[in-house]
Short mmCIF file of all heavy atoms in Angstrom, two decimals:
data_model
loop_
_atom_site.label_atom_id
_atom_site.label_comp_id
_atom_site.label_asym_id
_atom_site.label_seq_id
_atom_site.Cartn_x
_atom_site.Cartn_y
_atom_site.Cartn_z
N THR A 16 -64.80 50.93 -53.02
CA THR A 16 -65.26 51.56 -51.85
C THR A 16 -64.09 51.96 -51.00
O THR A 16 -62.94 51.58 -51.20
CB THR A 16 -66.14 50.58 -50.94
OG1 THR A 16 -65.30 49.41 -50.64
CG2 THR A 16 -67.39 50.11 -51.75
N VAL A 17 -64.36 52.80 -49.97
CA VAL A 17 -63.24 53.16 -48.98
C VAL A 17 -63.53 52.41 -47.69
O VAL A 17 -64.54 52.47 -47.17
CB VAL A 17 -63.28 54.64 -48.83
CG1 VAL A 17 -62.26 55.05 -47.72
CG2 VAL A 17 -63.05 55.45 -50.11
N SER A 18 -62.46 51.65 -47.36
CA SER A 18 -62.60 50.87 -46.17
C SER A 18 -61.46 50.90 -45.22
O SER A 18 -60.36 51.57 -45.59
CB SER A 18 -62.73 49.29 -46.58
OG SER A 18 -63.88 49.16 -47.44
N GLU A 19 -61.58 50.46 -44.00
CA GLU A 19 -60.45 50.44 -43.01
C GLU A 19 -59.74 49.08 -43.33
O GLU A 19 -60.25 47.98 -43.40
CB GLU A 19 -60.97 50.43 -41.61
CG GLU A 19 -61.56 51.77 -41.21
CD GLU A 19 -60.34 52.79 -40.94
OE1 GLU A 19 -59.26 52.37 -40.68
OE2 GLU A 19 -60.61 54.02 -41.08
N VAL A 20 -58.36 49.19 -43.43
CA VAL A 20 -57.58 48.03 -43.69
C VAL A 20 -56.37 48.14 -42.70
O VAL A 20 -56.09 49.17 -42.14
CB VAL A 20 -57.05 47.86 -45.11
CG1 VAL A 20 -58.19 47.81 -46.07
CG2 VAL A 20 -56.19 49.12 -45.51
N GLN A 21 -55.58 47.11 -42.60
CA GLN A 21 -54.44 47.04 -41.82
C GLN A 21 -53.29 47.91 -42.30
O GLN A 21 -53.00 47.81 -43.45
CB GLN A 21 -53.91 45.65 -41.57
CG GLN A 21 -52.73 45.54 -40.48
CD GLN A 21 -52.57 44.06 -40.15
OE1 GLN A 21 -53.08 43.10 -40.63
NE2 GLN A 21 -51.49 43.92 -39.32
N LYS A 22 -52.58 48.73 -41.47
CA LYS A 22 -51.47 49.51 -41.93
C LYS A 22 -50.29 48.65 -42.14
O LYS A 22 -50.03 47.75 -41.34
CB LYS A 22 -51.18 50.57 -40.85
CG LYS A 22 -50.01 51.46 -41.15
CD LYS A 22 -49.86 52.49 -40.07
CE LYS A 22 -48.72 53.44 -40.24
NZ LYS A 22 -48.57 54.45 -39.20
N PRO A 23 -49.54 48.73 -43.26
CA PRO A 23 -48.43 47.80 -43.60
C PRO A 23 -47.28 48.06 -42.67
O PRO A 23 -47.03 49.17 -42.17
CB PRO A 23 -48.07 48.18 -45.01
CG PRO A 23 -48.41 49.58 -45.14
CD PRO A 23 -49.80 49.80 -44.30
N ALA A 24 -46.53 46.94 -42.37
CA ALA A 24 -45.23 47.04 -41.73
C ALA A 24 -44.14 46.96 -42.71
O ALA A 24 -44.25 46.19 -43.66
CB ALA A 24 -45.14 45.93 -40.70
N ILE A 25 -43.08 47.69 -42.58
CA ILE A 25 -42.06 47.83 -43.56
C ILE A 25 -40.95 46.82 -43.32
O ILE A 25 -40.76 46.38 -42.22
CB ILE A 25 -41.40 49.14 -43.67
CG1 ILE A 25 -40.78 49.64 -42.37
CG2 ILE A 25 -42.46 50.18 -44.19
CD1 ILE A 25 -39.93 50.88 -42.54
N GLN A 26 -40.35 46.35 -44.31
CA GLN A 26 -39.15 45.45 -44.35
C GLN A 26 -37.87 46.44 -44.19
O GLN A 26 -37.95 47.62 -44.33
CB GLN A 26 -39.04 44.62 -45.57
CG GLN A 26 -40.21 43.74 -45.78
CD GLN A 26 -40.51 42.69 -44.71
OE1 GLN A 26 -39.48 42.04 -44.18
NE2 GLN A 26 -41.61 42.57 -44.32
N ASP A 27 -36.71 45.79 -43.98
CA ASP A 27 -35.46 46.57 -43.82
C ASP A 27 -35.18 47.38 -45.04
O ASP A 27 -34.42 48.39 -44.83
CB ASP A 27 -34.33 45.55 -43.48
CG ASP A 27 -34.41 45.06 -41.99
OD1 ASP A 27 -35.25 45.67 -41.17
OD2 ASP A 27 -33.76 44.10 -41.72
N ASN A 28 -35.51 46.91 -46.15
CA ASN A 28 -35.11 47.72 -47.44
C ASN A 28 -36.29 48.62 -47.90
O ASN A 28 -36.20 49.08 -49.01
CB ASN A 28 -34.70 46.78 -48.52
CG ASN A 28 -35.88 45.85 -49.03
OD1 ASN A 28 -36.85 45.58 -48.29
ND2 ASN A 28 -35.78 45.35 -50.19
N GLU A 29 -37.35 48.83 -47.06
CA GLU A 29 -38.43 49.56 -47.52
C GLU A 29 -38.65 50.89 -46.76
O GLU A 29 -37.97 51.08 -45.73
CB GLU A 29 -39.74 48.72 -47.30
CG GLU A 29 -39.90 47.50 -48.22
CD GLU A 29 -41.10 46.75 -47.99
OE1 GLU A 29 -41.67 46.66 -46.92
OE2 GLU A 29 -41.64 46.17 -48.94
#
Side-chain angles (χ1 to χ4, degrees):
T16 62
V17 176
S18 301
E19 287 288 334
V20 299
Q21 186 173 357
K22 184 178 178 180
I25 61 171
Q26 303 296 316
D27 287 342
N28 65 335
E29 294 180 328

